[in-house]
């Protein structure tokens, strides 16, 4: 199997190459090698590589900036997939694509399942939903893996920001009324590899669709930060560490609105692919060790 990974410089994309390597020949491309704002670039790259599977980790992910750049976000997160899917169809390739909890408005009192109606609150969420819809309409074998609160050892993410600020400031105010599951980018890559192995062995048409891929368990941004700083203090009791103050979403206004409930039920994925991800806090410990 030849696998094309897009967005290989990103948090998830950077973890995918080693995770997918045991499954076949892996070609990993960055923005220079495949620019999702350019139909020509998308077509040329796919025609050159001739993959059996495209794993798309490239995306416009600047949630707040998207509010002032809606056209660009829509081109990258929405329109690019119609082109990618057309090329995939021409060569008989499948697509695995990542999407987000931000397709939901967060008003549901319980975790979201795949068939719940999306209702994005932000430009980012709307464009990611457009990408899902473009892929679903393309009539090719595909998986849409919705994940949440991605972090890891590389790139810009909540964990790395909190660790930096906690060493610099006396106090940090963190939102405590948005709930979800922090998800380590490497866990996403590992799960993607397991799914791809099962997919290859079975009937792709049977598996095509949307799946939720969050960590097991849930917390708030405040809970995530508190656990990260608790673990960091255990390892470095002498290091300066900010005091955390829980605040409400209303006290931390941002250009893009976020769902208060970002919890995704991942039972469908567990049942289809026999995958059960462990609790988010176990991965946090591993990431902190790697960041040492
Ligand atoms: N981050 C989260 O909290 C989160 C939550 C839920 C779902 N997701 C989804 O998970 C997937 C992976 O996210 P991530 O956290 O790994 O994102 P990331 O670290 O921001 O990586 C995204 C990658 O996409 C590339 N990219 C941006 N614009 C591009 C363009 N026009 N053409 C080609 N490549 C482009 C970026 O390139 P450069 O490196 O050159 O900028 C970057 O390497 C995305 O689909 C995202 O929507 C993320």
């Amino acid at each position: 199997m030849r696998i094309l990974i897009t967005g290989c410089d990103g948090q998830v994309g950077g973890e995918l190459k080693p995770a997918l390597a045991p499954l076949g020949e892996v070609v990993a491309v960055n923005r220079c090698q495949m620019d999702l704002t350019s139909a020509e670039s998308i077509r040329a790259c796919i025609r050159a590589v001739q993959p059996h599977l495209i794993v798309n980790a490239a995306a416009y992910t600047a949630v707040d900036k998207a509010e002032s750049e809606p056209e660009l976000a829509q081109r990258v997160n929405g329109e690019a997939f119609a082109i990618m899917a057309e090329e995939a169809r021409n060569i008989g390739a499948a697509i695995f694509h990542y999407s987000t909890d931000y397709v939901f408005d967060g008003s549901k009192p319980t975790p979201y399942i795949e068939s719940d109606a999306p209702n994005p609150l932000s430009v980012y969420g709307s464009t990611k939903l457009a990408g899902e819809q473009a892929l679903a309409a393309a009539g090719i074998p595909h998986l849409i893996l919705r994940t949440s609160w991605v972090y890891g050892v590389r790139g810009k993410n909540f964990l790395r920001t909190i660790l930096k600020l906690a060493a610099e400031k006396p106090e940090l105010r963190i939102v405590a009324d948005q709930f979800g599951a922090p998800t380590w980018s490497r866990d996403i890559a590992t799960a993607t590899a397991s799914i791809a192995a099962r997919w290859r062995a079975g009937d792709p048409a049977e598996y095509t669709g949307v799946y939720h891929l969050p960590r097991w368990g849930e917390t708030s941004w405040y809970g995530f930060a508190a656990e990260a700083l608790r673990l960091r203090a255990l390892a470095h009791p002498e290091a300066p560490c900010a005091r955390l103050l829980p605040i409400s979403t209303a006290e931390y206004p941002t250009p893009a609105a976020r769902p208060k409930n970002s919890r995704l039920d991942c039972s469908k994925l567990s049942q289809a692919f026999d995958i059960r991800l462990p609790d988010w806090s176990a991965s946090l410990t591993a990431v902190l060790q790697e960041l040492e």
Side-chain angles (χ1 to χ4, degrees):
M1 179 155 71
R2 190 176 310 114
I3 305 170
L4 172 62
I5 299 168
T6 70
C8 72
D9 291 338
Q11 294 194 84
V12 175
E15 300 286 356
L16 280 170
K17 192 170 180 183
L20 293 173
L23 294 178
E25 181 191 347
V26 174
V27 180
V29 297
N30 62 18
R31 186 199 292 253
C32 301
Q33 294 150 313
M34 187 202 278
D35 179 359
L36 293 189
T37 63
S38 158
E40 277 173 22
S41 174
I42 297 169
R43 291 190 197 285
C45 183
I46 294 172
R47 287 175 193 180
V49 176
Q50 295 280 313
H52 303 100
L53 172 64
I54 300 169
V55 181
N56 179 57
Y60 181 109
T61 56
V63 175
D64 287 317
K65 206 171 167 197
E67 297 296 313
S68 54
E69 290 185 337
E71 292 86 7
L72 179 58
Q74 176 66 12
R75 269 172 86 185
V76 176
N77 290 345
E79 291 158 20
F81 297 104
I83 300 157
M84 198 181 279
E86 190 184 313
E87 288 298 320
R89 193 185 312 109
N90 290 343
I91 57 170
I95 296 182
F96 285 9
H97 176 62
Y98 300 100
S99 191
T100 171
D101 49 313
Y102 286 11
V103 298
F104 296 115
D105 63 17
S107 61
K108 192 181 176 193
T110 53
Y112 282 93
I113 60 170
E114 288 78 357
S115 55
D116 283 328
N119 183 29
L121 301 174
S122 62
V123 167
Y124 169 74
S126 301
T127 62
K128 292 295 293 183
L129 180 59
E132 288 189 7
Q133 290 166 340
L135 211 44
I140 58 166
H142 69 273
L143 280 192
I144 295 166
L145 299 167
R146 290 191 189 131
T147 186
S148 64
W149 298 15
V150 178
Y151 72 101
V153 295
R154 66 166 75 214
K156 197 168 170 244
N157 60 62
F158 179 81
L159 175 68
R160 295 184 69 205
T161 302
I162 289 298
L163 293 176
K164 180 173 177 296
L165 293 179
E168 295 169 359
K169 300 193 172 211
E171 184 177 276
L172 295 178
R173 300 163 73 243
I174 311 288
V175 171
D177 61 355
Q178 291 172 23
F179 297 92
T183 313
W184 184 13
S185 50
R186 188 168 305 162
D187 288 334
I188 296 174
T190 306
T192 302
S194 302
I195 293 165
R198 292 287 285 245
W199 168 283
R200 188 177 53 173
D203 172 11
E206 182 194 332
Y207 292 121
T208 284
V210 181
Y211 296 84
H212 289 170
L213 176 64
R215 300 296 305 176
W216 214 260
E218 64 185 64
T219 187
S220 64
W221 290 111
Y222 173 82
F224 183 28
E227 180 64 2
L229 296 191
R230 186 187 72 80
L231 292 169
R232 177 48 63 91
L234 283 177
H236 298 281
E238 74 296 345
C241 189
R243 196 167 66 89
L244 289 187
L245 197 66
I247 61 167
S248 68
T249 301
E251 291 174 277
Y252 190 75
T254 51
R258 268 90 170 154
K260 288 206 169 182
N261 175 17
S262 273
R263 295 173 299 151
L264 301 176
D265 183 313
C266 56
S267 322
K268 181 181 170 189
L269 184 96
S270 302
Q271 281 158 17
F273 297 105
D274 200 18
I275 294 174
R276 187 189 158 106
L277 304 174
D279 194 88
W280 65 270
S281 54
S283 293
L284 175 58
T285 305
V287 174
L288 286 171
Q289 280 167 359
E290 201 161 310
L291 281 172
E292 285 290 320

